[in-house]
Every structure is written in structure tokens, then in C-alpha cells.
Amino acid sequence: MTTPLPTSQVNIPPGVIDLGVGDPPFSLLPLALLREAAETRFSQNDPYFLQYGAEQGDGYFRLALANFLAEGFGFPVTADRLFITNGISNALDQICTLFTHPGDTILIEEPSYFLALRIFADHGLHTISIETDEDGLLIESLEEKLREFRPKFLYVIPTHQNPSGHTLSADRRARLVELSREHDFLILADEVYHFLSYNSEPPKAFAAWTEDAHVLSLGSFSKILAPGLRFGWIQAHPEKLQRLTGCGLLDSGGGLNPFTSAMVRSVIESGGLKQNIARLTGIYSSKLRVMDGALRRHLTEAVYSVPSGGYFFWVRLPGGIDAVELQRRAVGFKVNFRPGVRFSSRGGLRDRIRLSFVFYEPQEIEQGVIRLKQCLEHGE
Amino acid sequence: MTTPLPTSQVNIPPGVIDLGVGDPPFSLLPLALLREAAETRFSQNDPYFLQYGAEQGDGYFRLALANFLAEGFGFPVTADRLFITNGISNALDQICTLFTHPGDTILIEEPSYFLALRIFADHGLHTISIETDEDGLLIESLEEKLREFRPKFLYVIPTHQNPSGHTLSADRRARLVELSREHDFLILADEVYHFLSYNSEPPKAFAAWTEDAHVLSLGSFSKILAPGLRFGWIQAHPEKLQRLTGCGLLDSGGGLNPFTSAMVRSVIESGGLKQNIARLTGIYSSKLRVMDGALRRHLTEAVYSVPSGGYFFWVRLPGGIDAVELQRRAVGFKVNFRPGVRFSSRGGLRDRIRLSFVFYEPQEIEQGVIRLKQCLEHGE
């Protein structure tokens, strides 16, 4: 072999600091935890996890996960309300197949996670966006759209949103659930960053409302353990779980991930997942302060609010600069980011950029922000 | 815990011999192979497989798989034509999402794998069936349907078909590819049983025709390694691979299975997969002879042809007996099977049953067939 073959999704050109990357750092991928988990599982000499698995997911794994979630959320969670997925992207894809038809209308936040928008597009869905502010989506904007449209679902990232970093307030969560009942649409709550809270407890997760058949809480191990596992869960009402577990895909192949379930079950039961989250939140919160400090020192005219969790700063550039244009120039400064327009379903947010504070080491974060400042100063 | 939690898809009542089960036996699930593979992988101290993976699948894994396939198929296979999936059910689901719309017409064999039919139903596809004989689907029946319909794809299990055990002849394969070009439909060739051939080499796999953008060859580790891995591949023309790797699901989550890829890569590179297949074909071919002998001895009036690979005998019951009715009575005889009607997309094949010869030990196979005979003799 002369050149290395592709293994990772993201390939950053040498020397470039890409603050746009939404991946965990390689140094925090829990190799030792998974090695121990594999040793534990294989030492038990039971090959059950190599067979076609139960459609809803391995019962023992769901029990371990339910206990973990109950402690983390602070309210009861039972194994029978959990369905095991290959991660949130896969869950969204499957939900679109089973609960929508091409041409259906769905609601999303403005801004929202741009790659989810692409999944919805693959299913031919018509996307309407809802305005947001510091406390998440604006109920008035939602009510206005509900007068005009009959959406199948609302896709929302309630806590430490991607890209804005904002968290939907408790009041608005409650009101949102009321509206989903009144107007009979589903809430797909992508709670991927819920356990990555650095200062204070976030408002109660949407998982708390899954006794209502309108709410599906989507969880993932990508940000709290490892993305390469492609592994997550849906917490939902039995009515919705039945449609998911009864679909043709699962009837044919059985549970979506028996092998990975068996490994991650050991990580949870040993307490390793909890420890891993404590480690991540400690390191990420210190990186967050590093990026905040760097932005204050070097990008004095940039406007942003400090996130209280998650992965991202959402920054408004000074003087109405177009971020796509800036990105073109940034190549020469060996720095990169995600332009805001990629998170807009209507070509807006052109003066925003998304910066991740988790992927790089502190010195690189500072250096990246300095390069960004240089790029901004040396405009055309 | 008072009662065990569900881990497996199939739960057979105690004492029952269910010859309908399409799973590998627990005793042949390759626990030691995967333990060694995990040890090898973890010992290398590189956590790359825990990160978001390359969309098309880990390049090193694809290289190992390409080498394995080239040797097994007997013609060149290159890594750039392979796309890594979560198994064939998942691949079919994804292909339906990306290449069809609800209401589209597709073609299947009569009989065909009933659980694939359910996946197609979830996508709202309109299914037309093609007659088959001992040499697989009848070209005349296909041509007749092509005069009336414009199908998006034909789903075919060319080798050791499920449920019939029949293998599509080389001539018909070639003609099928010609017809797919003339009428511009895709061939989805489910080649899951190709490497489970017990007597002779099967005709050239459809993988050989993937230089043509009309042919997609779907492969799986479920029958040659372990179903619980939920792991497989698609071999196809770059035009088709581009649509698959460029979809929203993969753009968001990266490659479908980096973790499992890393484990199975070691199994292939060590030669373990090849050894495992040799072991399986040895044991399965002897079980096949056991079932054939038992059927000849005990079910003298049953009509079937002896399969040359795969998992199944496809048996016509004597005297036009309705297999669903027989199944009702079989409960009392502690035996079970799959009635033929489940493999029909039009409620036919009512006097057929599918029997698997791989799941049980030889004595149980014989005992199962004896119970079936008793059940047949003690009619209403």
C-alpha cells in the first residue's frame, strides 16, 4: 500500500485547524473501556449476541440502559419503553420510512442540524422552519405555522442545540407537548447532548413526556461514548415502539445491533459509561472556557452567547460578513469552520459560523481563533 | 430477575422442534473467532474504529473483503466497488429509500423471501411476481410482465434460493442482465447463500455483472459468520455507490459500522472467515443428507428436489394438504415449519412447506420429520 486507505469520515488537510469538525477528539475515544467490555463479554462463553437478536433490542441491554437513563434523567425509565437503534441518523431515517410519505410537511428549527435536513430530503419531505431565540424555538412562530400547515413531526434538538448551543426552556417544552397533542404531530427530540451539560442541570428531558404517544426521545452513544459504534436508542410510547419493532426490516434481520449491545452493556453495567461522561464533561467544559477566552481576546467584535453544554459556539461575525466568502479566504490561513448558511433551511444565517470546542487541544483552539481573526482582518 | 429477558429473535416453545427456523445453530456461532479478532484489534491501540467512519466503509476492511470475494467468486473484485452495510435487510431498506417512491412497481420471484416482501411493503411498493421452476425465475414470465409494467427493480435470490433452494441457471442470469438493460430496471441480487454451496460450484455470481449499473450484488455475513453482527456489503457500479454513500443518513453518521468492520477485518485477514465457511459447509452438507434421508424414509409421498446449498428444503405435501391447517395441528405434535403461503405474494403455494436443515442436530432433524409424518397421518 502506498497511500493510506480511508477509515475516517473527516479528513482534515495537514496543518489546517478545522473548528467546524463535530467529532469527539481521537484522544478521548474510550479504547480501554471497550477492550475491557469485550473481554468481559467474551469471557462468559455465551454466543447469544452473535445470533439474530430480539427486535426491540437485547432485554438485558435495555435494562442496563434504563437504569442508566433513570439515574441521569432523574425520573423512572423502564426497559420496555426503549428501542435500540444504530444511532440517531438511523433512527430518523427509519421514522421517516414508517411514519411519513414523500410530500408530507415537517417542522424544524432555524437553525438546525444540517445533516438531519438531508435525511428528511431523501424521504421527499417538505420542510418548514420555526424561528428560535436564546431559549430555543419560539412558540409564537410554531403556532403561526400550525395555523397554515399540518406537519407530521417537529424535529427539535432541545438541549445544547446544534449549531446554536441554545437550550429550550422548561416552559416552552411543556407548551410544545400541549401543542403536539392539539395539532396531532410527533415531536422527535434529538437529545444527543443532554448528558453533556457543564454548568447546571438542563431542563427535564423530553424522555419525561414519552408516556404521551406524541413524543419520541432519540438518544445516542456517539457523543457520550463513541460514534464508531453507530448505536443509540429511542424512548417512546408502546404504540410507536410497536410500529418500529413490527416493521419489515426488523422482522427480517431481528434487533439492529446485538453484537454492539453486548459490548456496551458491559460498559454500562461496570459504571464505565458514567465515568466516561464525567471525564468528557470535565475536559469539554475546560475547552469551552479556552474557546470563550480566545474569542473574547481575539474576536472582540464577534457576538455569541456562551453555551452551557454540547459541542458548539454559534458566532455572529462583525459587519455582516458573509461566512461562505470568509471560508474561501480561510483556506489561505489554514483554518476552517462551518458557515451558518449550512444550518439554514432557507439560505439565511449568512453572517454566522459554527465553531466546535471539543475536537482540538487548548493550544490549537487558541491558534485556530487567532487564524480566524487574521483571516477576518485581511479581507479583500 | 425472575424471568429471563428477551435476547434472541426466535423463541421456540420448550420441547418443540421448529424446522421453520432460518437461523444458524447456536453451536456454530463463531465466538472464539470473534474473541481472537477483538483481541487483535484492541491490541493495536488505535481507536480509529470508534470515530465516525468513512461513508463507503473502512478502506482496509473493504480491501480485505475484496480479496476474500475475488478468491471466492473466482474473478477480480476491487475495494472501490464495495459499500459496507448493516446486512441485506438494511441494504434493501436503504435502496428502497433512495431508488424508489411509494407506488412504484417492483418484481419478485414466486416464491420469495417473505421478510423482504415486508420491507418492500413498508416503502409502499407494488409487488408483481414472476414464475419460477427448478432453474430459477422463468424468463418468459418475466418478459410477459415487462410488456405490462415498468418496474424499478427485480429482487432475486439467485443461488440456493429461500425458500425453494433452487439456483438460477447461468443462461438465465445472462439473459436477465440483458433484459435489465433493455427495460432499464435494477437487479437486486441477494447472494446471501452463494458461499454455502455443498456439491458443486454455483453459476457465476451477479457480482460479476456489477460493471453494469443495473446490477447490485448484496452480500451478508449473517450466514457465513454471525447474524448478530448485522453486517454485509453491496457490490455495485460507482454510479449506484455514489447515491448510497452520498445519502443524508451517511453524510450525518458516517460509515454504517466502523466498530464491527474493525473486528471482522481481523477475521478475514487471519483466514478465519474462509475456515469458518469450510466448517459450515462440511457440517451443513451432512445435515442436508440427514434431512434428505429422513424425508425419503418417513415422508414418502412428499415431493421435493434436493438442494445443493443454502438452508432449506421446499416440500410439496401429498394430496393437496393445506400447510396452514397442518401447522395448526402440528402444535400438538411439537413440531413446526413455515407454510408455503408465507413465501407467496399472492396467497398461493398452500400445499408447500419450508424446512431448514441447518438449525438442529441430526437426531432432532430426524425426530422432527417423524413428528411431521405423525401429524400428517393423524389428520382431522
Side-chain angles (χ1 to χ4, degrees):
Chain A
M1 214 82 49
T2 48
T3 49
L5 296 169
T7 56
S8 291
Q9 187 177 27
V10 167
N11 293 294
I12 303 163
V16 170
I17 297 176
D18 185 356
L19 297 173
V21 170
D23 297 13
F26 278 87
S27 60
L28 293 178
L29 294 172
L31 195 66
L33 260 183
L34 279 155
R35 180 192 291 126
E36 284 160 34
E39 279 167 10
T40 303
R41 186 55 58 210
F42 281 113
S43 72
Q44 294 175 350
N45 259 334
D46 182 348
Y48 75 93
F49 59 92
L50 299 178
Q51 189 58 281
Y52 289 103
E55 284 87 348
Q56 194 175 344
D58 178 341
Y60 293 94
F61 173 74
R62 285 187 288 111
L63 184 65
L65 178 61
N67 292 338
F68 164 80
L69 292 175
E71 192 184 333
F73 285 147
F75 50 78
V77 177
T78 56
D80 61 325
R81 298 301 164 91
L82 298 173
F83 168 74
I84 305 311
T85 71
N86 288 323
I88 293 180
S89 305
N90 166 272
L92 290 173
D93 186 65
Q94 209 51 34
I95 289 167
C96 288
T97 296
L98 300 176
F99 296 104
T100 73
H101 290 97
D104 281 350
T105 296
I106 62 156
L107 305 174
I108 56 156
E109 299 166 280
E110 172 83 357
S112 187
Y113 173 49
F114 63 106
L115 296 173
L117 306 189
R118 292 221 36 221
I119 296 173
F120 303 146
D122 281 341
H123 286 272
L125 301 176
H126 178 53
T127 301
I128 303 289
S129 61
I130 308 295
E131 301 299 325
T132 61
D133 67 12
E134 298 277 305
D135 288 328
L137 66 81
L138 284 164
I139 298 295
E140 298 69 35
S141 171
L142 173 60
E143 286 174 326
E144 188 194 314
K145 300 299 182 189
L146 288 172
R147 280 191 288 275
E148 197 176 344
F149 301 100
R150 288 187 55 81
K152 278 292 169 75
F153 65 74
L154 163 70
Y155 171 70
V156 61
I157 308 168
T159 305
H160 316 311
Q161 205 242 20
N162 179 3
S164 73
H166 298 154
T167 292
L168 190 65
S169 68
D171 285 357
R172 291 190 190 174
R173 289 176 192 229
R175 182 71 188 117
L176 197 51
V177 176
E178 283 175 12
L179 285 169
S180 74
R181 284 184 203 132
E182 285 168 28
H183 296 266
D184 196 25
F185 62 87
L186 298 179
I187 297 173
L188 308 186
D190 178 343
E191 314 216 74
V192 63
Y193 301 107
H194 187 90
F195 292 113
L196 294 183
S197 296
Y198 310 134
N199 309 315
S200 53
E201 281 295 298
K204 199 159 64 170
F206 273 92
W209 277 284
T210 51
E211 286 308 300
D212 190 309
H214 291 93
V215 179
L216 288 87
S217 166
L218 313 184
S220 170
F221 290 96
S222 288
K223 307 301 190 192
I224 59 176
L225 197 62
L229 298 169
R230 302 283 74 222
F231 199 47
W233 67 90
I234 298 175
Q235 187 175 336
H237 189 272
E239 177 195 313
K240 292 296 177 295
L241 294 181
Q242 253 166 38
R243 181 69 188 105
L244 288 162
T245 59
C247 75
L249 173 62
L250 282 127
D251 199 3
S252 174
L256 291 171
N257 232 331
F259 179 68
T260 311
S261 296
M263 303 301 151
V264 178
R265 177 182 155 197
S266 298
V267 176
I268 300 178
E269 287 176 346
S270 70
L273 179 60
K274 216 179 137 184
Q275 286 161 27
N276 193 59
I277 293 173
R279 180 167 169 246
L280 294 179
T281 52
I283 294 171
Y284 290 169
S285 69
S286 112
K287 288 186 175 189
L288 183 155
R289 287 191 298 274
V290 169
M291 183 169 273
D292 185 30
L295 289 171
R296 278 174 209 275
R297 272 192 300 282
H298 307 297
L299 253 61
T300 47
E301 291 178 79
V303 179
Y304 62 91
S305 55
V306 182
S308 58
Y311 266 40
F312 305 113
F313 279 78
W314 179 239
V315 178
R316 186 198 297 257
L317 298 170
I321 293 167
D322 185 298
V324 172
E325 178 50 35
L326 185 71
Q327 193 179 33
R328 232 169 272 137
R329 299 208 311 266
V331 177
F333 293 86
K334 290 195 171 289
V335 66
N336 204 351
F337 50 81
R338 292 289 170 279
V341 69
R342 292 195 61 181
F343 303 90
S344 172
S345 59
R346 51 194 197 219
L349 307 165
R350 304 194 69 89
D351 62 346
R352 309 292 182 111
I353 61 174
R354 188 193 79 173
L355 303 176
S356 162
F357 55 88
V358 310
F359 187 72
Y360 284 100
E361 294 307 306
Q363 308 90 303
E364 295 166 311
I365 294 172
E366 174 106 23
Q367 186 56 39
V369 174
I370 290 172
R371 291 182 189 177
L372 202 53
K373 166 201 166 83
Q374 292 166 340
C375 176
L376 274 164
E377 286 174 352
H378 296 78
E380 289 131 295
Chain B
M1 215 84 46
T2 48
T3 49
L5 296 170
T7 56
S8 291
Q9 186 179 27
V10 167
N11 292 293
I12 303 163
V16 170
I17 297 175
D18 185 356
L19 297 173
V21 169
D23 297 14
F26 278 88
S27 61
L28 293 179
L29 294 172
L31 195 66
L33 260 184
L34 280 155
R35 180 193 290 125
E36 282 160 35
E39 280 167 10
T40 304
R41 186 56 56 213
F42 281 113
S43 72
Q44 294 175 350
N45 261 332
D46 181 349
Y48 76 93
F49 58 93
L50 300 176
Q51 188 60 281
Y52 289 104
E55 284 89 348
Q56 194 175 344
D58 178 340
Y60 293 94
F61 173 74
R62 284 187 287 113
L63 184 64
L65 179 61
N67 292 338
F68 166 80
L69 292 175
E71 192 185 333
F73 286 147
F75 50 77
V77 176
T78 55
D80 61 325
R81 297 301 164 91
L82 298 172
F83 168 73
I84 305 312
T85 71
N86 289 322
I88 292 181
S89 305
N90 166 273
L92 289 173
D93 186 65
Q94 208 53 33
I95 288 168
C96 289
T97 296
L98 299 177
F99 295 102
T100 73
H101 290 97
D104 282 350
T105 295
I106 62 155
L107 305 175
I108 56 156
E109 297 165 282
E110 171 81 357
S112 186
Y113 173 49
F114 63 107
L115 296 172
L117 307 188
R118 294 220 35 223
I119 295 172
F120 304 146
D122 282 341
H123 287 272
L125 301 177
H126 178 52
T127 301
I128 303 289
S129 60
I130 308 296
E131 301 301 325
T132 60
D133 66 12
E134 298 278 306
D135 288 328
L137 65 79
L138 285 164
I139 297 296
E140 298 68 35
S141 172
L142 173 60
E143 286 174 327
E144 186 194 313
K145 299 300 181 191
L146 287 172
R147 280 192 287 274
E148 198 177 343
F149 301 99
R150 289 187 55 81
K152 279 293 169 75
F153 65 75
L154 163 71
Y155 170 70
V156 61
I157 308 169
T159 306
H160 315 311
Q161 206 241 21
N162 179 2
S164 73
H166 298 155
T167 291
L168 189 65
S169 68
D171 285 356
R172 291 191 190 173
R173 289 177 192 227
R175 182 71 187 119
L176 197 51
V177 175
E178 283 174 12
L179 284 169
S180 74
R181 283 185 204 133
E182 285 167 29
H183 295 266
D184 196 23
F185 61 88
L186 298 179
I187 297 172
L188 308 186
D190 178 344
E191 314 216 73
V192 64
Y193 300 108
H194 187 89
F195 292 113
L196 294 183
S197 296
Y198 310 135
N199 309 317
S200 53
E201 281 294 300
K204 200 160 63 170
F206 273 92
W209 278 283
T210 51
E211 286 307 301
D212 189 308
H214 291 94
V215 179
L216 289 88
S217 166
L218 314 184
S220 170
F221 290 95
S222 287
K223 306 302 190 192
I224 58 174
L225 197 63
L229 298 170
R230 302 283 75 224
F231 199 47
W233 67 91
I234 298 175
Q235 186 176 336
H237 188 272
E239 176 194 313
K240 292 295 176 295
L241 294 180
Q242 252 167 38
R243 180 69 189 105
L244 288 161
T245 58
C247 76
L249 172 62
L250 282 127
D251 200 4
S252 175
L256 291 170
N257 232 332
F259 179 67
T260 310
S261 296
M263 303 300 151
V264 178
R265 177 183 154 196
S266 298
V267 176
I268 299 178
E269 288 176 345
S270 71
L273 179 60
K274 215 179 138 184
Q275 285 160 29
N276 194 59
I277 293 174
R279 180 169 170 242
L280 294 179
T281 52
I283 296 171
Y284 291 168
S285 68
S286 112
K287 289 186 175 191
L288 183 154
R289 286 191 299 272
V290 169
M291 183 169 273
D292 185 30
L295 289 172
R296 280 174 206 274
R297 273 191 300 283
H298 307 298
L299 253 60
T300 48
E301 291 179 80
V303 179
Y304 61 90
S305 53
V306 182
S308 58
Y311 266 40
F312 306 112
F313 279 78
W314 179 239
V315 177
R316 187 198 297 256
L317 297 170
I321 293 167
D322 185 296
V324 172
E325 178 50 37
L326 185 72
Q327 193 179 34
R328 231 169 270 134
R329 300 207 312 267
V331 177
F333 293 85
K334 290 194 172 289
V335 66
N336 204 352
F337 51 81
R338 292 289 170 280
V341 68
R342 293 194 62 182
F343 303 89
S344 172
S345 59
R346 51 196 197 216
L349 306 166
R350 303 193 72 88
D351 62 345
R352 309 289 183 114
I353 61 175
R354 188 193 77 175
L355 304 176
S356 162
F357 56 87
V358 309
F359 187 70
Y360 285 100
E361 294 306 307
Q363 309 90 305
E364 296 167 310
I365 294 172
E366 173 107 23
Q367 186 56 40
V369 174
I370 290 172
R371 290 183 190 176
L372 202 52
K373 166 200 166 84
Q374 291 166 341
C375 176
L376 274 164
E377 287 174 351
H378 296 77
E380 295 126 297

